[in-house]
Amino acid sequence: MIEQYSEGAVPDYQMAAMAMAIYFRDMDGSEIAELTAAIVDSGETIDLSAITGTKVDKHSTGGVGDKTTLIVGPLVAAAGIPVAKMSGRGLGHTGGTIDKLEAIRGFETELAKDRFIRNVNEVKLAVAAQSGNLTPADKKLYGLRDVTATVDSIPLIASSVMSKKIASGADAIVLDVKTGSGAFMKTLEGARRLAENMVAIGQRLGRETVAVISDMSEPLGYEVGNANEVREAVDVLRGRGEERLTEVCLTLASHMAVCARQFNGFEEARAHMQHMLDSGQALESFRKFVKAQNGEASFIDDPAQLPQAAYPIDVCANTGGYVEGIDAEAVGVAAMMLGAGRRTKEDVIDRSVGITLKKKIGDRVDKGECIAVLHANDANPEESREKLMKAIHIGSGRVAPPPIVHEIVR
Ligand code: URA
């Protein structure tokens, strides 16, 4: 069916009926794996055999302030493990790694295949924009799902994500499945089912796959927006990052290292990743990666060289208390309104704008205190300011933030 759908022999109305049937009836493990394999076969696959060592990919199901690739990639590469990563651009309230990297002056994300492979062999890390004709059936089916209300189906999401990972050629895959207000899966139970399905697909199709279920009930870290997130990634690589963001990055990197069979278990890998961070080797690996893709690396020591918005605008609390919740999706939308993200695929984004959160869940706030800064190129971004104010809930009771890593699914 997928083959004939790709060729146009199965029309959209039949495929829409099929998607709706899957939406209501679910699929069993072997059906999901067959569907995934058929989507992989609909297009090209990337051959990474010219890269020495076990290639481990990482994929996040998306969220707000998710700059983990910029941190995890250098951590893993510093340990000598090759990371050959294809990444996407952002749409809606979630950002894309390629957009973030393009905030770095000169940084090239369109890499020819031989350069991509050479960079991975030489500096152990390359991140390139998806190119070529990978999984065309997924693009076609996703477009159809979007207009037939069948996006929100675990077998369809799992096969869509895994087909792209498998076509990208990695030997092993570490998935970062987000749960919470800024994530596709709002509940832990939904995230767990998605993770289990994706891990099972990997197993059936011969790629070792591990999923980390991590928290997205508030934005990840303090920064949202492209240049903002690059700046925060450097802070983490300097060992000065927010604790929860640092923790999830170390966890993901350690699972990638274990999948690459370089360590005797998670604890050993975790200790090594901590050493990569503390010794500055991960930061050096980031510098080499930026230079290898023609980026000007001087911003690493002088963040003021990153694009800067014209107006830093303080957003102040109109009541005192404790931060009880931050609607991550609404913060993502507020950043998009400033120009940091795209409403439609055709929108042009502004890499200098974004939001700095000054408070996170559990923090105390005094009335009138600054809780966030909008970095805007419009002197009066009222729509965005209002959205952000509504996203940050201040109450009288102290709330503990949820754990950053909920579960590991193998
Ligand atoms: N992301 C994807 O790549 N596919 C889906 O179906 C949903 C989210």
Side-chain angles (χ1 to χ4, degrees):
M1 184 158 195
I2 291 292
E3 195 182 298
Q4 299 210 350
Y5 178 58
S6 305
E7 290 164 0
V10 167
D12 272 352
Y13 58 82
Q14 285 184 336
M15 201 57 184
M18 181 66 170
M20 194 57 87
I22 295 170
Y23 180 94
F24 282 112
R25 300 294 305 266
D26 207 350
M27 287 178 121
D28 70 22
S30 71
E31 288 168 336
I32 304 178
E34 291 288 343
L35 174 61
T36 310
I39 297 173
V40 173
D41 288 344
S42 71
E44 292 168 22
T45 53
I46 297 178
D47 177 6
L48 297 179
S49 57
I51 298 171
T52 39
T54 307
K55 279 77 68 183
V56 190
D57 201 353
K58 184 217 84 145
H59 178 81
S60 159
T61 58
V64 178
D66 185 357
K67 65 282 288 175
T68 52
T69 295
L70 307 183
I71 302 159
V72 170
L75 273 169
V76 175
I81 300 164
V83 182
K85 184 141 183 55
M86 295 284 178
S87 253
R89 297 183 188 278
L91 187 62
H93 71 277
T94 62
T97 300
I98 292 297
D99 295 322
K100 293 168 199 180
L101 285 168
E102 286 176 351
I104 300 168
R105 204 180 307 130
F107 195 94
E108 289 171 4
T109 56
E110 311 279 336
L111 301 185
K113 189 175 172 219
D114 51 347
R115 181 166 170 216
F116 181 70
I117 288 180
R118 193 173 59 241
N119 282 13
V120 181
N121 277 330
E122 284 173 4
V123 301
K124 301 290 170 206
L125 173 60
V127 182
Q130 264 147 21
S131 64
N133 190 29
L134 297 192
T135 64
D138 175 64
K139 287 191 191 86
K140 199 170 169 191
L141 181 55
Y142 195 85
L144 186 70
R145 287 166 56 208
D146 203 25
V147 293
T148 54
T150 51
V151 168
D152 198 9
S153 151
I154 284 184
L156 291 176
I157 298 173
S159 54
S160 166
V161 171
M162 288 301 285
S163 65
K164 285 175 282 216
K165 292 291 105 184
I166 288 168
S168 300
D171 303 309
I173 301 157
V174 173
L175 298 163
D176 182 8
V177 179
K178 304 285 188 194
T179 182
S181 61
F184 230 106
M185 292 290 145
K186 307 286 182 215
T187 66
L188 179 56
E189 210 247 316
R192 188 184 295 133
R193 280 214 301 132
L194 179 61
E196 285 168 355
N197 274 284
M198 292 197 289
V199 168
I201 294 171
Q203 231 158 24
R204 281 179 189 267
L205 299 185
R207 313 290 167 107
E208 182 170 0
T209 306
V210 176
V212 174
I213 302 182
S214 72
D215 193 65
M216 187 47 73
S217 56
E218 61 179 346
L220 193 53
Y222 287 110
E223 302 287 353
V224 180
N226 299 288
N228 288 39
E229 293 188 40
V230 171
R231 199 176 303 121
E232 186 168 32
V234 173
D235 280 348
V236 175
L237 290 167
R238 282 196 188 284
R240 297 196 301 235
E242 191 223 27
E243 211 179 301
R244 287 163 61 82
L245 170 61
T246 307
E247 179 55 35
V248 75
C249 289
L250 286 168
T251 303
L252 289 164
S254 307
H255 283 291
M256 288 173 77
V258 172
C259 285
R261 312 218 177 284
Q262 299 252 339
F263 297 94
N264 290 317
F266 178 81
E267 291 311 322
E268 195 182 300
R270 178 74 171 69
H272 192 75
M273 289 304 156
Q274 188 73 54
H275 176 60
M276 292 299 97
L277 192 63
D278 297 343
S279 62
Q281 291 179 68
L283 184 66
E284 277 322 297
S285 160
F286 181 70
R287 199 185 298 272
K288 283 188 201 153
F289 154 67
V290 168
K291 286 184 182 164
Q293 293 193 214
N294 270 359
E296 286 181 26
S298 48
F299 78 90
I300 295 173
D301 303 310
D302 178 15
Q305 291 188 30
L306 284 167
Q308 308 254 8
Y311 306 102
I313 300 164
D314 283 356
V315 175
C316 301
N318 47 21
T319 174
Y322 292 91
V323 178
E324 285 184 341
I326 303 180
D327 180 341
E329 184 168 334
V331 175
V333 171
M336 185 183 73
M337 287 166 167
L338 294 175
R342 299 180 182 82
R343 285 173 214 260
T344 69
K345 272 191 204 152
E346 288 70 36
D347 279 355
V348 176
I349 60 172
D350 180 345
R351 294 189 170 78
S352 68
V353 299
I355 293 171
T356 303
L357 295 170
K358 294 286 186 187
K359 301 283 176 180
K360 302 293 294 280
I361 294 178
D363 286 349
R364 215 201 118 63
V365 179
D366 293 324
K367 186 173 177 185
E369 194 180 353
C370 173
I371 49 177
V373 180
L374 295 174
H375 304 273
N377 280 326
D378 164 2
N380 191 15
E382 203 38 45
E383 193 191 20
S384 174
R385 207 189 74 83
E386 249 178 56
K387 186 89 189 161
L388 185 62
M389 277 303 273
K390 283 196 194 131
I392 303 175
H393 307 290
I394 299 171
S396 54
R398 185 164 202 171
V399 183
I404 183 68
V405 174
H406 289 280
E407 283 175 20
I408 309 298
V409 177
R410 287 193 177 80

